[in-house]
Amino acid sequence: MQSVTASSVRSRIRAELVEEIKASARRQLANEGAAALSLRAVARDMGMVSSAVYRYFPSRDDLLTALIIDAYNAMGERVEQAESIVRRTDYRGRWMAVCHAVRRWATENPHEYGLVFGTPVPKYAAPADTITPATRVTRVLVDIMIDAVRTAALTVETETVPKAVRVDLAPVRSFFGEGPEQLGDDLIVRGIMAWTHLYGAISFELFGHRVGSVSNHDGFFDHEMRRIAAFVGL
Amino acid sequence: MQSVTASSVRSRIRAELVEEIKASARRQLANEGAAALSLRAVARDMGMVSSAVYRYFPSRDDLLTALIIDAYNAMGERVEQAESIVRRTDYRGRWMAVCHAVRRWATENPHEYGLVFGTPVPKYAAPADTITPATRVTRVLVDIMIDAVRTAALTVETETVPKAVRVDLAPVRSFFGEGPEQLGDDLIVRGIMAWTHLYGAISFELFGHRVGSVSNHDGFFDHEMRRIAAFVGL
DNA sequence: TGTACATCAGTGAACGCGCGTTCACTGATGTAC
DNA sequence: TGTACATCAGTGAACGCGCGTTCACTGATGTAC
């Protein structure tokens, strides 16, 4: 008994240090950018010697991977939380809650956002365990559309999708389980476009490409996401 | 006379070397990414000593700026060229030509695209002389819309734009001269959204976020841009 | 409960590397008279 | 046209810096009997 608690104390401290290292790395990310993230700087910041960090992360890339997974999960959690408190039948409200939650998280954590949605870090290949966290937000958006279709609340005149594009949609359906069978080809296309637009708008704002075009970013984003919601029939 | 030609020989050689340095830097960009672009590697690649590069570019950042300006201009030229050969009254055709030209250039030069539309390079502030080249593509898109409105070829049911957003549109109008006066608030909003979507789609494809959703990138892009064209009334 | 051993966290030195930038210099090319 | 001087391109050494990763080590903490 004694030994068990003692051991778990050690592992708890370990877990805390892992978190501290990641927090420090996140801070460095904000100052220097992903490419310049260095283990030595993290160690310095933590008051340890650089080799000590290797007890927690076997390499720089593993630390980067951990940050990416954390970023996806942080974003996913924020989105799920924000969406969950909206009345279930208010599909448009749920959709807008997701859009705003993504944007809010992104503006609060621009460098983590950039790590995930910006230029890929050179020489870094994202491992498979980033996939699941990466789809959390999309999952929520898809579910809203499915719910709306099920209750016949989706109002949109569907258009025909060319065969060349239609073929592509099978993997999407299968990825999201049985739900999307209920979405027609046209709605899946619209969904992918909406998803693209959401991140496109946020990236444009955060990466400075709307300077000179938009100054009231909040207002514009809200308005355009409303239009995108309408575009998918919500 | 002699001296003049002689001098221009020297300056011609200089100009050629500047181009060679930029070409080498572009190659390095493709291999290592923007953050890792180094003057020493460029010098090595050119077979000169690292300090010699300083005869041509006063610092690493100046080289970066030159690459950014070149990228915008290369993209701008490609787009202007592609758009110019379409029949003037085929507004939708002109629009699609622009979209495809941007995408083609981007897929052929992914790292230059990333340099401009990806995560901003940390500690690097783009100077004012990047602004004009940066707007060449947008200029073409705006002109197509203006032409279509002038000839009453634009078919779209305009929606009302909230005041909060409308206020924002004045700078856009003034930036593009007198033309956009003819575009209603709604059309300007749609235009900004279309512009956002164009780069959003290309970034998503290039940065790997469509893996698993879209495999026929050509086909999907064509289809979605057609829908965006319809969205702006073309 | 007490002791002998195993595991773990963190140290400190070292490896070999690359970077941006400066500076005094040599030698070639251009300019003015 | 010929010479004296000025400009320019490129060299090579040096500055001070930071990086990722390895390795043998000390000392503390946990485990088994």
Side-chain angles (χ1 to χ4, degrees), chain B residues 3 6-7 38-40 44 51 54 59-60:
Chain B
S3 57
S7 146
S38 98
L39 280 187
R40 290 188 102 110
R44 225 175 292 130
S51 52
Y54 284 81
S59 81
R60 199 198 88 118

Side-chain angles (χ1 to χ4, degrees), chain A residues 43-219:
Chain A
R44 225 175 292 131
D45 183 54
M46 305 262 312
M48 3 165 72
V49 97
S50 68
S51 52
V53 179
Y54 285 82
R55 292 271 164 213
Y56 302 92
F57 293 93
S59 80
R60 201 199 86 119
D61 273 10
D62 290 271
L63 176 55
L64 213 56
T65 300
L67 293 185
I68 289 174
I69 292 176
D70 279 12
Y72 276 126
N73 278 325
M75 203 166 82
E77 261 159 50
R78 277 282 281 276
V79 163
E80 287 163 9
Q81 213 279 326
E83 195 263 354
S84 71
I85 61 175
V86 180
R87 184 165 43 85
R88 292 294 84 190
T89 53
D90 180 7
Y91 304 108
R92 176 182 261 242
R94 286 164 66 188
W95 181 276
M96 292 301 291
V98 172
C99 295
H100 277 113
V102 173
R103 176 165 175 274
R104 207 164 301 133
W105 183 85
T107 47
E108 284 169 17
N109 307 276
H111 293 89
E112 282 172 272
Y113 178 86
L115 182 62
V116 164
F117 288 102
T119 331
V121 178
K123 311 251 144 155
Y124 172 80
D129 36 337
T130 58
I131 295 179
T132 315
T135 53
R136 285 174 71 166
V137 172
T138 321
R139 173 87 257 175
V140 177
L141 288 173
V142 169
D143 285 346
I144 297 172
M145 287 182 73
I146 293 172
D147 283 4
V149 165
R150 277 206 185 111
T151 58
L154 249 173
T155 56
V156 78
E157 304 158 31
T158 61
E159 292 181 28
T160 42
V161 175
K163 313 134 242 56
V165 172
R166 223 180 305 143
V167 175
D168 245 14
L169 306 179
V172 181
R173 284 179 208 282
S174 71
F175 181 86
F176 283 103
E178 333 117 37
E181 283 163 21
Q182 321 205 15
L183 302 180
D185 293 328
D186 177 64
L187 274 182
I188 293 194
V189 168
R190 286 173 190 263
I192 295 177
M193 286 177 69
W195 173 57
T196 301
H197 197 94
L198 169 60
Y199 291 101
I202 293 172
S203 294
F204 247 34
E205 174 185 344
L206 254 52
F207 298 168
H209 292 287
R210 281 190 165 172
V211 173
S213 312
V214 175
S215 53
N216 172 9
H217 292 290
D218 267 64

Side-chain angles (χ1 to χ4, degrees), chain B residues 3 25 37 48 96 99 115 143-144 148 177 189 196 198 202 225 232 234:
Chain B
S3 57
L37 195 173
M48 354 164 81
M96 292 301 291
C99 295
L115 182 62
D143 285 346
I144 297 171
V189 168
T196 301
L198 168 60
I202 293 173
M225 287 305 133
V232 296
L234 292 173

